Amino acid sequence: VRACLRGCLLCPSRLSCSPLLVMGPRMPTAALPCLSLILLLWSQLPGAQGQEFRFGSCRVKGVALQELWKAFWAVKDTVQAQDNVTSVRLLRREVLQDISDAESCHLIHALLKFYLNTVFKNYHKKIVEFRTTVKSFSTLANSFLVIKSQLQPSEENEMSSIRESAHRRFLLVQRAFKQLDIEAALTKAFGEVDILLSWMEKFYQP
């Protein structure tokens, strides 16, 4: 179990370990048992049972929202103090406002994939400089991984308009991100996790 976890999780005690979330779009078959173990252990955490996210027909169980908030609050001041581009916002009102339940599953899937594969993957090198924040960073990254792994957006043809609408919203985030210097963009994105959590909270059933 310990060996599996060392290969899957961001390890605050081993800053050089390779997290599962940075393996790229195609997850190796050998990593799948590790992901299953993460999901199992996560569901046993205190306060996690009986709580779920409901993004339309997509259900996510075993994640305690208060733990995500706690982890972000621990790094908020450190990260947001590094954000010097105050005139830009990635998660704008046009991205998160007036979203249908069906659309929410597609959008959160795209956003979490973006945070895992782009933001957390690359910002990990930066967060290591602030050693007191590594544990909280790991909690957020692994929580996002658990949530994304349970999302199953519908691929039905009649849902194409919903997928396209969610994709257009996500493109607003991606384009704004690419317009910034990469270091500034990563800091901006990570500093806006509180905006993302506030939106996710609307779909949370304690």
Side-chain angles (χ1 to χ4, degrees):
V1 172
R2 291 180 180 177
C4 189
L5 287 177
R6 281 199 298 269
C8 291
L9 303 179
L10 284 169
C11 312
S13 61
R14 292 196 173 190
L15 302 181
S16 62
C17 70
S18 300
L20 175 63
L21 61 88
V22 302
M23 288 184 175
R26 291 192 176 184
M27 185 184 301
T29 304
L32 295 179
C34 283
L35 179 55
S36 298
L37 179 58
I38 292 175
L39 296 174
L40 175 61
L41 295 180
W42 219 269
S43 67
Q44 303 304 315
L45 289 177
Q49 296 191 18
Q51 304 172 343
E52 66 176 6
F53 286 98
R54 298 179 182 177
F55 300 103
S57 60
C58 298
R59 297 290 189 268
V60 176
K61 298 182 179 181
V63 178
L65 179 62
Q66 60 268 30
E67 293 301 317
L68 274 70
W69 274 115
K70 182 179 178 180
F72 181 75
W73 287 330
V75 302
K76 178 181 177 181
D77 291 342
T78 300
V79 175
Q80 293 186 349
Q82 308 298 315
D83 183 6
N84 299 316
V85 186
T86 58
S87 60
V88 175
R89 180 170 167 176
L90 304 181
L91 297 174
R92 305 196 303 273
R93 182 176 299 179
E94 305 94 291
V95 177
L96 301 177
Q97 188 174 358
D98 300 326
I99 298 175
S100 67
D101 287 344
E103 187 180 358
S104 67
C105 185
H106 293 276
L107 181 59
I108 189 60
H109 186 273
L111 289 174
L112 293 185
K113 182 178 179 181
F114 166 73
Y115 268 91
L116 288 168
N117 294 348
T118 301
V119 181
F120 290 157
K121 175 181 177 179
N122 294 290
Y123 198 75
H124 181 244
K125 299 177 182 177
K126 181 73 172 179
I127 208 71
V128 169
E129 298 176 12
F130 314 111
R131 290 181 178 273
T132 57
T133 65
V134 174
K135 182 177 179 180
S136 297
F137 178 84
S138 299
T139 297
L140 285 170
N142 288 313
S143 295
F144 279 18
L145 176 62
V146 170
I147 295 172
K148 178 179 173 294
S149 69
Q150 295 186 53
L151 294 172
Q152 296 182 343
S154 174
E155 296 296 333
E156 297 294 334
N157 292 332
E158 61 265 23
M159 303 294 287
S160 60
S161 61
I162 294 176
R163 292 199 308 272
E164 291 171 1
S165 177
H167 183 63
R168 286 194 297 270
R169 291 177 186 269
F170 172 69
L171 286 179
L172 294 176
V173 177
Q174 190 177 59
R175 289 167 182 166
F177 181 87
K178 290 182 176 180
Q179 289 175 357
L180 297 174
D181 169 83
I182 185 60
E183 292 295 328
L186 291 171
T187 300
K188 171 70 66 177
F190 193 66
E192 290 189 0
V193 165
D194 56 344
I195 300 176
L196 180 60
L197 292 180
S198 293
W199 177 72
M200 292 170 62
E201 194 167 10
K202 299 177 181 179
F203 303 92
Y204 192 67
Q205 302 294 323

